[in-house]
Amino acid sequence: MVILMLCNYSVSIYNKGASTKVNGITIPGVLSYVRDVTCDIQPYSTALLLKDYGYNIEVNKRVFLDMDSTIKIGTVLFYTNLQRIVKKYEVKVVIEWDYLELACLEVS
């Protein structure tokens, strides 16, 4: 079986740094740029994720891309659409095949 992935989009990968705790207050780590990659972005839903893989996690996008060891849960993908609006998608589920399938949630 041949799987043909259409890589129509370019996204920037950002990983969160370690958080720190100061006087009982947790300060989240900052996002740091890793690199740009090409991928395919598709609409997705929590119901489909539950049906396909058994995860009940809120998601609204599915992203397919080549294997990449820097992508993990919590990674943020930045995508600039044709109207020059930047969309941010946080990775919620990572599924490894011969490629990566990511279930993501759009964040503000």
Side-chain angles (χ1 to χ4, degrees):
M1 179 178 182
V2 176
I3 297 176
L4 178 64
M5 289 189 347
L6 300 174
C7 295
N8 298 330
Y9 303 95
S10 178
V11 296
S12 299
I13 300 172
Y14 285 80
N15 281 324
K16 293 180 184 177
S19 58
T20 57
K21 200 167 203 173
V22 177
N23 295 329
I25 298 171
T26 301
I27 301 168
V30 296
L31 291 175
S32 60
Y33 173 78
V34 178
R35 74 172 151 278
D36 292 336
V37 295
T38 57
C39 64
D40 182 32
I41 302 173
Q42 300 176 0
Y44 203 49
S45 69
T46 302
L48 284 173
L49 181 65
L50 182 61
K51 179 183 172 197
D52 292 343
Y53 299 105
Y55 295 113
N56 191 15
I57 299 171
E58 184 179 2
V59 296
N60 57 12
K61 295 291 181 192
R62 179 164 55 176
V63 178
F64 296 95
L65 66 147
D66 291 332
M67 291 298 285
D68 191 321
S69 61
T70 61
I71 295 178
K72 56 189 178 276
I73 294 173
T75 295
V76 179
L77 306 175
F78 283 69
Y79 165 67
T80 304
N81 65 18
L82 296 174
Q83 291 78 27
R84 313 283 293 158
I85 298 170
V86 176
K87 302 281 188 170
K88 295 183 271 186
Y89 303 111
E90 183 176 355
V91 175
K92 297 295 187 176
V93 177
V94 177
I95 301 159
E96 294 183 8
W97 303 97
D98 292 335
Y99 52 90
L100 284 181
E101 180 179 345
L102 310 174
C104 302
L105 179 65
E106 186 173 347
V107 293
S108 56

